[in-house]
Amino acid sequence: MAPATPFSEKPTLRGELVTLRPVTGDDAALLDAVVRDDPEVAELTGSVHRTGDSPPPIDPARLRAIYESWAVADDRLVLAVVDNTTAAVVGEVVLNDWDPANRSCGFRTFVGRAGRGRGLGTEATRLVVEHGLRTMGLHRITLEVYAFNPRARHVYEKVGFVHEGTGRDALRFDDGWVDVHLMAILGG
């Protein structure tokens, strides 16, 4: 039996605005719809390369299997973002790319149209980052955000992420190039 990792526990984190709960296979279709029904999510996450494009379709059974594997994975934490007002799943937060020797990992998130503009993304980010740094004992959490997504960068800065560098011309989009900002937050 493999030893437990900090990612083995799949907590439910509750805030005033959102609840973050472990994903299940049943969430796959919901989260896919959040991305497909909101072109802004696909564009700002670099999932597409032209304004208005949709991400390539993913077989629903394959996507369900991916989420089922993430629900029990010991190398990542994938939590659904649930709006406490409506009980709707509006996005996800992920701690991944775990580096055990350096007690660090990556972070990614998306929140769809139904969850934007009310502080849900900020609270979701704060909850999962605090859990990673305080409860899981991580020292460093990193992320990448494209230069054409200043709203997300503002959220990350409010939570405590610091800009550490720029990857030039990291994304081809609408016949041009977009830089990516590299950010990190440190714990104990």
Side-chain angles (χ1 to χ4, degrees), residues 10-178:
K10 307 298 183 189
T12 296
L13 308 174
R14 290 181 174 82
E16 182 181 323
L17 303 173
V18 297
T19 298
L20 307 181
R21 63 155 177 79
V23 294
T24 68
D26 292 340
D27 294 318
L30 293 169
L31 290 165
D32 189 46
V34 168
V35 174
R36 292 188 183 287
D37 295 344
D38 185 356
E40 189 173 317
V41 170
E43 291 169 10
L44 296 179
T45 59
S47 301
V48 296
H49 296 278
R50 300 200 73 70
T51 301
D53 280 359
S54 295
I58 299 175
D59 174 65
R62 181 172 174 267
L63 189 59
R64 182 181 183 84
I66 290 168
Y67 273 89
E68 287 172 347
S69 72
W70 287 349
V72 297
D74 64 0
D75 67 341
R76 70 187 62 232
L77 177 62
V78 183
L79 302 174
V81 178
V82 179
D83 181 338
N84 286 345
T85 301
T86 65
V89 173
V90 296
E92 70 181 19
V93 292
V94 179
L95 296 177
N96 62 357
D97 297 329
W98 182 41
D99 179 348
N102 290 311
R103 294 182 19 231
S104 67
C105 73
F107 169 73
R108 68 174 175 76
T109 185
F110 69 82
V111 174
R113 182 178 307 135
R116 280 200 297 269
R118 297 182 288 128
L120 277 64
T122 300
E123 185 176 76
T125 300
R126 184 173 287 118
L127 285 169
V128 75
V129 166
E130 286 176 356
H131 175 76
L133 296 175
R134 293 189 179 141
T135 305
M136 295 172 62
L138 296 170
H139 175 68
R140 177 180 169 86
I141 300 174
T142 62
L143 65 82
E144 295 182 352
V145 59
Y146 291 110
F148 62 8
N149 194 353
R151 183 175 62 226
R153 181 169 170 173
H154 177 71
V155 166
Y156 303 142
E157 289 171 339
K158 283 197 309 189
V159 171
F161 281 88
V162 174
H163 181 254
E164 294 186 336
T166 299
R168 297 176 300 145
D169 292 354
L171 175 70
R172 182 84 170 147
F173 192 82
D174 281 348
D175 299 323
W177 292 99
V178 179

